[in-house]
Amino acid sequence: MTITNKSVQVGVGVLIMHAQKVLIGKRIGSHGANTWQLAGGHLEFGEEFEECAIREALEETGLTLDPASAKFVTANNNLMPSIDRHYVTVFVAANVLGDTKPKIMEPLKCEGWEWVTLDQLADNNGPYRPLFSPLAKMVDEYDLKALFAKST
């Protein structure tokens, strides 16, 4: 495997939680098009993971997250040789404050948002497939039951 771009990017995926469901969106217009993803984006210089998660959630969904609930969940390493990229993806979970109806804030990047249960997220034969590769890896490797049980 040859990756010519030698910089590793840090992405933050946001597990936006509400009523024991998580928000996922259908990705369009960039790498991972036509896969289901979490809200998220690149970590900015000097930014904490939780700050990035709160900022990205608002920018992409219009939802306000509870800063006190924002917590690091896990991270994974994602080599994407077919598109010459390498990401470390950090996952942060946080509960929604106030309105829970997401908006499509970036219509060129996301087709729509859906609240899904853990069973729906984990169902390899369900309608929410394929998952964006960092999310798929996290769902396969991390036990999300306790996280979903704690969501408000």
Side-chain angles (χ1 to χ4, degrees), residues 1 7 27 50 59 64 68 86 89 100 111 120 132 140 150:
M1 165 184 22
S7 71
R27 196 173 172 93
E50 296 81 3
E59 289 175 3
T64 301
H86 180 184
T89 303
T100 60
E111 185 176 296
Q120 290 171 312
F132 186 47
D140 287 343
K150 288 185 212 173

Side-chain angles (χ1 to χ4, degrees), residues 45-120:
F45 184 81
E47 192 173 41
E48 297 290 339
F49 299 145
E50 296 81 3
E51 292 170 333
C52 179
I54 291 165
R55 175 182 54 78
E56 288 288 351
L58 185 62
E59 289 175 3
E60 294 185 12
T61 70
L63 297 175
T64 301
L65 302 185
D66 176 8
S69 74
K71 303 284 184 246
F72 170 85
V73 174
T74 191
N76 60 34
N77 191 36
N78 303 279
L79 302 174
M80 302 174 184
S82 65
I83 58 168
D84 205 27
R85 296 195 184 181
H86 180 184
Y87 277 88
V88 171
T89 303
V90 175
F91 295 92
V92 173
N95 293 320
V96 176
L97 272 179
D99 184 18
T100 60
K101 185 173 180 182
K103 298 175 186 74
I104 301 170
M105 305 294 285
E106 298 177 329
L108 299 178
K109 295 181 181 180
C110 182
E111 185 176 296
W113 296 105
E114 302 265 341
W115 288 106
V116 299
T117 65
L118 174 57
D119 288 342
Q120 290 171 312

Side-chain angles (χ1 to χ4, degrees), residues 25-35 37 106-112:
K26 186 85 175 263
R27 196 173 172 93
I28 55 175
S30 67
H31 68 282
N34 299 312
T35 63
Q37 66 171 359
E106 298 177 329
L108 299 178
K109 295 181 181 180
C110 182
E111 185 176 296

